[in-house]
Amino acid sequence: MHGRFDGRPAFLATTFVVIDFEATTPTGHPAQPIEVAALALRYKEGAWTGAGRRASLIRPPAFAPVTPAVTAQTGLTPEQLSQAPGPAEALGALDRRFTADKPYLLVAQHAATEANIIHNQREHCPALARIDLLDTIPLAKYIIPGLPNYQLDTLLAHFAIKKPANRHRAYADVDVTAQVFVRLVSAADEDAQLSDLAALVKIAGRTAKCNMPAQEELFDA
């Protein structure tokens, strides 16, 4: 990719961290992560380069057991996850990879899911919880209108990206989401309306909940 983004300082300075969670969805509780994967990408000298990756299983709390449906989708079993680190350890280790003096954007397919999980786990990952997100779905809707839907498998088929054998494992989904993101940015670089990182954020950005203004209560209790 050689185009207008090559000369945009904000774009070149940003580390894009593609992130994905697998989770259980217990009744009456928010989704609880059971696996996380993150792949950091930087764009420099006309090419994308990896800037680090991390993946970890996460032991869910007792109120959020791994159900047969979760096992059928992900392949993860209660036995595997019983030996995994808890959220504090797993997410804390990921959180320490982020340094305060560098600009980051998280990239996710249907970023609301990742945003909610991160926000609900923010005590374990305070740095991560303050990073805004880019959602590949609205970006894809803008760049390639007319697809029947914008699910990850549909985008993989559109871009002729091979579906991974371990689809619905976080580390596999991160890899293919990163490939989709790179293809979308390459297409965006050819669109005169998408001149810089701010334009991408306007279309596909999602503000981290920790960065949103606090809502004042209308009435005192």
Side-chain angles (χ1 to χ4, degrees):
M1 185 183 87
H2 289 278
R4 289 168 293 108
F5 286 127
D6 287 67
R8 303 297 182 182
F11 182 83
L12 298 176
T14 299
T15 299
F16 297 89
V17 181
V18 187
I19 192 164
D20 183 74
F21 286 94
E22 300 302 326
T24 62
T25 53
T27 302
H29 297 276
Q32 299 294 312
I34 58 174
E35 186 176 34
V36 62
L39 171 61
L41 299 173
R42 294 287 303 276
Y43 186 79
K44 56 184 179 181
E45 298 178 358
W48 289 96
T49 60
R53 67 166 61 228
R54 186 171 185 87
S56 177
L57 296 178
I58 304 172
R59 184 178 67 255
F63 64 77
V66 176
T67 64
V70 170
T71 299
Q73 182 176 50
T74 66
L76 293 170
T77 65
E79 292 73 24
Q80 284 176 282
L81 291 165
S82 68
Q83 304 301 314
E89 182 181 349
L91 296 177
L94 174 60
D95 201 59
R96 290 189 290 275
R97 301 290 291 271
F98 296 93
T99 56
D101 59 340
K102 293 182 179 178
Y104 298 94
L105 273 175
L106 300 179
V107 176
Q109 170 80 5
H110 194 254
T113 300
E114 273 61 39
N116 287 334
I117 290 174
I118 291 168
H119 185 72
N120 290 332
Q121 298 288 332
R122 61 192 180 278
E123 65 178 307
H124 306 312
C125 52
L128 180 65
R130 290 200 170 275
I131 302 173
D132 293 334
L133 304 96
L134 279 178
D135 192 333
T136 50
I137 291 179
L139 189 58
K141 286 181 177 179
Y142 180 89
I143 291 171
I144 42 175
L147 293 182
N149 61 64
Y150 290 85
Q151 297 173 5
L152 183 55
D153 287 341
T154 302
L155 295 176
L156 296 181
H158 175 81
F159 287 119
I161 298 169
K162 185 178 179 181
K163 185 176 176 180
N166 290 327
R167 176 80 172 86
H168 296 297
R169 288 294 303 272
Y171 63 86
D173 287 358
V174 152
D175 280 340
V176 290
T177 300
Q179 293 180 55
V180 168
F181 173 65
V182 167
R183 303 286 184 89
L184 290 172
V185 172
S186 180
D189 198 40
E190 300 172 3
D191 188 319
Q193 302 300 314
L194 299 178
S195 57
D196 55 17
L197 181 59
L200 296 181
V201 170
K202 185 175 181 180
I203 290 170
R206 185 181 184 91
T207 303
K209 289 186 176 182
C210 285
N211 295 335
M212 293 179 180
Q215 297 293 316
E216 296 183 4
E217 295 294 331
L218 293 177
F219 302 100
D220 292 330

